[in-house]
Amino acid sequence: MSDARPFLRARTGVILRLSGWSLLESAQTFLSGFGVARALDHGFLAGRPLTGLLWLAVAAAAVLPARLATRGVFARLADLVEPLRDGLVRRAVSRALSGAIARPGDVTTRSLSQVTHQSEIARDGWAGLVLTLRSFVFTAAGAVVGLLALSPALLLIVLPPLFLGAGLFLGTLLPMAARQRDYLTADEAYAAHAGQLAASVRDIAAAGAAERTVAESRTLAEAQLAASRSLARWAAVRVLALAVCGRFPPLLLLLAAPWLLRNGLTPGALVGALTYLTQALAPAVQALMTVLATVGGRLVVVLDRFTDAPPPPADDPQPAPAGHAPPASDGGPVPPSRAHEAAGPPVPADALFPPGGPIAELRRVTFAYGPGAHPVLDRLSLTIGSQEHLAVVGPSGSGKSTLAALLAGVERPTGGEVRWRGRPVRSDDAASLRVLLPQHAYVFSGSLRDNLRYLRPDVRDREIAAMADVLGLDHLLSRLGSLDAELDPERLSQGERQLVALGRAYLAAPPLLILDEATSRLDPAAETRAELAFADRSGALVVIAHRLSSARRAGRILVMDGPHTQCGTPAELLRSCALYQDLAGLWEPEVREGGPSAGVRSTLPPSPV
């Protein structure tokens, strides 16, 4: 509002010229009802048909200058509408440049939307609002003057319902704008959540977060439904206001017609008053309310986006409002509350599976992403011992992550069979037997303790302390201050998120742990420390390696090149596998010669999942 006054004050001349052209529309409205009244009273009812036709011709001729006025109005409209759009574009560009300079790492596409889409919404909305409001004001003025000229008593019948309906409608403007804003916010939140889910289905399944994700989706959907219902209730009030303004005046006039005729109102004046109400006032009121209810609401919301405070710097995030879920991190879902956590620790694997034997087997497994697609895996057989450390290497797109998903039971093979401890894979067994850590770590807003206990709620603090010492999580713990410190996922580095997820998996101690580039954001020393810690624990470890130094720590290496695979020890593969020799050739010579892995530096970027 404070920005609107200077804008309108600077364009007083344009507004006056628009008003001047609009006076012709008022004259046309006045003559439409007044001409009909005179045509009846002084022409047809008085036995002078030519006089009646002359008055009707005058009313019809008034349409011509009104059309000329419409042309003049549109010519002046650009002087009032285009400066608004230009000013909004300048503001959006200025804020985008200032924000990019102040926060180089926090640049978003918000300003691009404002410069293109949102500024056009504001421009079209403002133009429609100006045209409709101008037409209503001058049409209503012409009709009121005409009713006064016919008989002042008509105003006693017509004006009360008009004022009542207008007041009822104006009373809905602010609540409707607030409800529209709430609905837009809820719709954006649900759309963002749905987009994150579409990109994170595998990670959600791997992290066992399906129940949390369903609860979060239900919460967002219910918020959107509540906002929609509230908006619909206020829309019903607007329908009532429109009926009071547009339907009640003609009805009251007809009911009062006998009294008006007994008190001197002529039949022509009665028909002229009905003409004003049905042909001028009612359409003008309906158009105004429709525009204010639709275009006006969108205009208010869009202008709020241009005038609200700029987003805070990335290093000074604002707390989420009460009752709103914090944003998800790295494509992972955000748990809505502690109420959806597991009720207790998972059932021990030994209670479900007989001890001994391989932990996982692939028996002639084939997998393709569609009936006509080339297979990613083609009749692959692989056995993983209960204490084995297996590394998987290969070029990007060779099927490493697909293999991890099949081993974890996240994907089902299109041919062959995957077995855990001699039994076919079942989703009910997954929580007790395996943990799959994808590249994008699942960390949610809450305490560090809750994040670490996510897969094992009964873990004790001394176990957490021992884990932090082994994995190198003590630095993060010292920075946060305590296990009960609140984690903001947006303020953690990607390496810190991976450490939290690794700590969670270490505490869960599953019989089968699959790291799908889950250490890709750690430096080589931290990665070495984490993998050695997992290798020393009981259970099988499968590592989708993005550094060859990671593969060399494994007892066996599976080299993948699409459906072509070869498995063996590092020494065997250096002698017999051309692809492994090529991969090793891109690393330091000491790696190819079998030197120590400490201090090895990769010249290859991490391969994407």
Side-chain angles (χ1 to χ4, degrees):
M1 185 62 70
S2 59
D3 293 335
R5 293 193 186 97
F7 177 83
L8 295 176
R9 192 180 302 116
R11 288 158 183 82
T12 304
V14 176
I15 295 174
L16 291 176
R17 287 191 289 273
L18 275 174
S19 301
W21 283 109
S22 299
L23 286 174
L24 291 177
E25 290 191 25
S26 293
Q28 188 263 335
T29 301
F30 171 80
L31 288 175
S32 65
F34 191 81
V36 168
R38 287 294 184 266
L40 286 173
D41 289 338
H42 298 281
F44 300 117
L45 295 179
R48 294 193 291 272
L50 290 179
T51 301
L53 291 174
L54 181 61
W55 274 109
L56 291 179
V58 170
V63 175
L64 297 178
R67 294 292 174 266
L68 181 63
T70 301
R71 183 176 180 181
V73 164
F74 275 97
R76 300 278 74 82
L77 185 65
D79 298 333
L80 192 61
V81 171
E82 296 302 332
L84 174 69
R85 178 187 178 278
D86 296 342
L88 294 177
V89 170
R90 282 194 297 270
R91 174 174 294 197
V93 172
S94 176
R95 289 177 59 176
L97 293 177
S98 300
I101 293 173
R103 301 176 299 277
D106 193 32
V107 178
T108 67
T109 58
R110 164 181 169 152
S111 296
L112 178 62
S113 175
Q114 289 185 341
V115 170
T116 56
H117 183 59
Q118 294 185 31
S119 63
E120 288 300 321
I121 291 178
R123 172 184 177 274
D124 295 343
W126 175 236
L129 188 62
V130 168
L131 282 175
T132 306
L133 184 61
R134 175 206 58 82
S135 176
F136 170 77
V137 168
F138 287 94
T139 297
V144 169
V145 172
L147 290 171
L148 185 63
L150 294 177
S151 174
L154 292 171
L155 298 180
L156 298 176
I157 306 298
V158 172
L159 291 184
L162 284 175
F163 286 141
L164 177 61
L168 185 61
F169 177 80
L170 292 176
T172 67
L173 287 180
L174 292 180
M176 276 291 286
R179 299 293 82 75
Q180 285 176 331
R181 190 178 296 109
D182 292 343
Y183 179 78
L184 180 61
T185 301
D187 182 66
E188 289 176 347
Y190 190 84
H193 178 74
Q196 290 167 350
L197 293 188
S200 309
V201 172
R202 189 174 72 93
D203 295 354
I204 293 168
E211 291 185 7
R212 288 175 178 267
T213 304
V214 169
E216 173 72 3
S217 302
R218 184 182 297 110
T219 299
L220 292 174
E222 289 174 352
Q224 188 179 18
L225 178 62
S228 176
R229 286 175 173 172
S230 179
L231 188 63
R233 285 192 290 269
W234 282 103
V237 177
R238 281 190 167 173
V239 171
L240 177 62
L242 181 61
V244 171
C245 280
R247 301 291 184 263
F248 279 23
L251 179 60
L252 292 178
L253 182 62
L254 292 176
L255 291 175
W259 175 81
L260 290 171
L261 292 173
R262 286 195 302 269
N263 286 273
L265 185 71
T266 63
L270 179 62
V271 175
L274 285 172
T275 302
Y276 283 132
L277 294 178
T278 58
Q279 302 301 314
L281 272 179
V285 168
Q286 184 169 3
L288 177 65
M289 290 188 175
T290 301
V291 168
L292 287 177
T294 55
V295 175
R298 288 198 299 269
L299 181 61
V300 169
V301 172
V302 170
L303 291 181
D304 276 351
R305 301 297 177 97
F306 282 93
T307 57
D308 61 0
D315 58 352
D316 185 24
Q318 299 296 320
H324 286 70
S329 66
D330 273 354
V334 176
S337 70
R338 290 288 308 275
H340 301 284
E341 287 191 356
V347 179
D350 290 342
L352 297 174
F353 302 94
I359 186 66
E361 297 175 86
L362 272 68
R363 298 183 175 182
R364 298 183 62 81
V365 166
T366 298
F367 183 85
Y369 290 98
H374 291 290
V376 180
L377 302 179
D378 187 12
R379 293 168 291 179
L380 173 63
S381 295
L382 179 68
T383 301
I384 301 173
S386 59
Q387 299 296 321
E388 185 172 6
H389 182 180
L390 174 72
V392 183
V393 299
S396 177
S398 59
K400 301 187 299 295
S401 291
T402 301
L403 174 63
L406 288 167
L407 278 173
V410 175
E411 295 282 4
R412 294 185 177 275
T414 52
E417 185 182 29
V418 180
R419 300 177 75 86
W420 289 336
R421 290 251 177 104
R423 287 171 42 173
V425 167
R426 297 190 311 167
S427 58
D428 293 342
D429 301 333
S432 300
L433 188 131
R434 61 87 177 136
V435 167
L436 168 62
L437 289 190
Q439 183 181 26
H440 297 291
Y442 172 44
V443 179
F444 54 85
S445 295
S447 70
L448 177 60
R449 186 194 307 275
D450 288 343
N451 271 274
L452 293 174
R453 299 192 315 170
Y454 178 56
L455 297 178
R456 187 182 159 197
D458 65 335
V459 71
R460 290 169 289 188
D461 286 356
R462 66 170 180 269
E463 295 177 84
I464 296 178
M467 174 275 300
D469 183 62
V470 171
L471 292 183
L473 204 65
D474 43 4
H475 175 71
L476 175 61
L477 182 58
S478 299
R479 180 166 70 83
L480 294 174
S482 73
L483 288 173
D484 294 317
E486 289 294 313
L487 278 186
D488 182 356
E490 299 299 324
R491 302 195 66 171
L492 295 180
S493 69
Q494 296 190 40
E496 288 174 329
R497 298 180 198 179
Q498 287 190 337
L499 276 177
V500 172
L502 288 168
R504 179 191 302 144
Y506 188 91
L507 293 171
L512 173 62
L513 175 62
I514 306 167
L515 304 182
D516 186 3
E517 298 197 15
T519 59
S520 60
R521 300 298 181 176
L522 302 181
D523 60 72
E527 180 183 58
T528 300
R529 182 175 184 174
E531 288 185 3
L532 290 177
F534 281 109
D536 288 341
R537 57 178 276 284
S538 62
L541 175 64
V542 177
V543 178
I544 308 299
H546 68 287
R547 295 186 180 104
L548 206 61
S549 57
S550 177
R552 291 184 65 251
R553 287 189 285 271
R556 278 198 306 162
I557 300 175
L558 177 67
V559 181
M560 299 190 66
D561 186 13
H564 306 292
T565 62
Q566 188 170 345
C567 192
T569 65
E572 292 171 345
L573 293 173
L574 274 175
R575 292 192 301 268
S576 61
C577 181
L579 176 57
Y580 186 78
Q581 293 169 0
D582 291 341
L583 293 173
L586 297 174
W587 291 67
E588 297 290 344
E590 63 174 341
V591 177
R592 299 195 305 271
E593 296 166 4
S597 61
V600 171
R601 177 177 61 84
S602 168
T603 59
L604 266 181
S607 60
V609 175

